[in-house]
Amino acid sequence: MKSRFIHPLFPEGRTKAFTLSYDDGVTQDERLIAMFNKFKVKGTFNINSGLFGRKGQANGQPMPATHWRFPEERIVNMYQGHEIAVHGAEHLDPVAYPLPVIAQDVLRDRVNLENLLGHPVTGMAYPFGTYSEDVVALLKSLGIEYSRTVKSTHSFDIPEDFLTWHPTCHHNDPELIDLIQNFLNSNSHELKLFYLWGHAYEFDGHNNWGVIENALSIISGYDDIWYATNGEICRYIKAFDQLIFSADGHMVENPTAMDLWIWVSKEAVKLPAGTVTTIGR
């Protein structure tokens, strides 16, 4: 068997991916989604189904920011083309309540969103960004496949554990533009992922909508970047665990329902869904 280097690639042989995540289902999402659609990027929006239609005030902002949440009847149309994920029905702090209470909050949110959307909802962002080993184990038992934290890594690594998915940075990070440039300038066959997160009401509170518009204008429009939701990235990466290689490494079966791509020696190779592909010969 020849020695060769085999590792995953994103769809169409891309080596980079960009994803966003915004929390709470607030009315400022409407303006944000318009920007996402303009620049042809995809986001994941983490919704509290027990707080539909609630009004509040965002604290800790330089300027007053009304914290309106969308009513239930607007959710499906508002987030069309993007992903909706769990954020706890009542936005309870996962480490401040007993596990059974958190289990009910997460499961209630998941069931509510699934009934509303008509499909399974298996993604999440931790309310307040807090979690513990027990909470992570709990989410796994509730069918949650991934959950985002609020810990900035300033890196572009694929998470080792999608249930503790640390983003690259928040949109107010002073290093945001430098990080984007580093991401764009990176050139290797190793996968790189830029994950940006925040709350849309923060743009009102900081009077800085220009920050996200500028960031999107810089990072969008590249053929070598996959613009995807959190869920799309998680499912794609996890699908590689299901690949079956022959004993000599020259054949690989893709039993999944999605096309996958790998780098073999000096080229990108497509592994069509449900087929066996010969590689390295």
Side-chain angles (χ1 to χ4, degrees):
M1 173 177 159
K2 294 180 181 179
S3 175
R4 58 188 176 276
F5 190 32
I6 301 174
H7 63 73
L9 296 173
F10 288 126
E12 308 304 322
R14 299 179 181 96
T15 57
K16 301 174 187 175
F18 176 64
T19 193
L20 304 104
S21 176
Y22 278 80
D23 297 351
D24 299 345
V26 293
T27 52
Q28 289 90 346
D29 284 351
E30 185 168 13
R31 182 174 176 180
L32 186 61
I33 289 169
M35 287 189 189
F36 286 6
N37 294 340
K38 172 184 175 181
F39 291 105
K40 298 180 180 180
V41 301
K42 287 186 177 182
T44 295
F45 292 86
N46 307 294
I47 307 294
N48 310 111
S49 61
L51 303 177
F52 285 144
R54 298 279 185 92
K55 180 182 179 181
Q57 194 75 18
N59 299 319
Q61 310 293 307
M63 299 173 60
T66 303
H67 196 271
W68 273 106
R69 297 173 190 264
F70 280 116
E72 181 176 353
E73 60 270 18
R74 294 199 62 191
I75 294 295
V76 175
N77 289 336
M78 180 55 56
Y79 296 99
Q80 190 170 6
H82 302 276
E83 181 187 19
I84 289 177
V86 169
H87 200 38
E90 301 288 337
H91 200 274
L92 301 182
D93 186 333
V95 299
Y97 290 82
L99 284 178
V101 175
I102 297 305
Q104 292 180 57
D105 191 52
V106 171
L107 194 58
R108 178 185 162 205
D109 201 25
R110 186 181 175 198
V111 169
N112 289 346
L113 294 175
E114 290 177 341
N115 288 338
L116 184 62
L117 299 171
H119 62 72
V121 176
T122 60
M124 179 172 162
Y126 290 104
F128 303 102
T130 62
Y131 63 95
S132 66
E133 290 184 6
D134 288 340
V135 170
V136 171
L138 173 66
L139 296 191
K140 192 176 298 185
S141 73
L142 298 177
I144 298 296
E145 291 186 301
Y146 74 81
S147 192
R148 192 212 75 223
T149 75
V150 296
K151 178 183 178 182
S152 295
T153 65
H154 286 191
S155 73
F156 315 120
D157 297 333
I158 303 298
E160 294 183 8
D161 183 352
F162 277 97
L163 285 171
T164 53
W165 193 349
H166 306 309
T168 303
C169 68
H170 184 276
H171 63 244
N172 281 335
D173 194 306
E175 297 184 38
L176 173 61
I177 301 303
D178 287 340
L179 286 167
I180 291 176
Q181 293 295 350
N182 290 341
F183 176 70
L184 295 177
N185 292 334
S186 61
N187 185 22
S188 74
H189 295 296
E190 296 292 335
L191 295 186
K192 294 188 181 300
L193 170 65
F194 195 115
Y195 189 148
L196 187 64
W197 81 280
H199 304 84
Y201 61 75
E202 293 171 317
F203 298 119
D204 283 351
H206 289 261
N207 191 27
N208 66 348
W209 280 94
V211 165
I212 188 64
E213 186 165 21
N214 183 47
L216 295 180
S217 71
I218 296 171
I219 204 169
S220 64
Y222 287 86
D223 292 336
D224 65 339
I225 298 177
W226 181 32
Y227 302 96
T229 66
N230 292 186
E232 287 173 332
I233 291 169
C234 176
R235 287 189 294 273
Y236 185 84
I237 293 298
K238 286 188 172 184
F240 284 95
D241 291 337
Q242 300 181 54
L243 292 179
I244 304 168
F245 286 85
S246 63
D248 66 1
H250 289 304
M251 292 182 291
V252 56
E253 180 179 355
N254 176 8
T256 75
M258 67 177 70
D259 296 341
L260 300 174
W261 293 76
I262 59 173
W263 180 260
V264 181
S265 186
K266 296 182 179 181
E267 63 178 347
V269 176
K270 180 180 180 180
L271 307 177
T275 66
V276 175
T277 302
T278 300
I279 59 175
R281 284 179 174 169

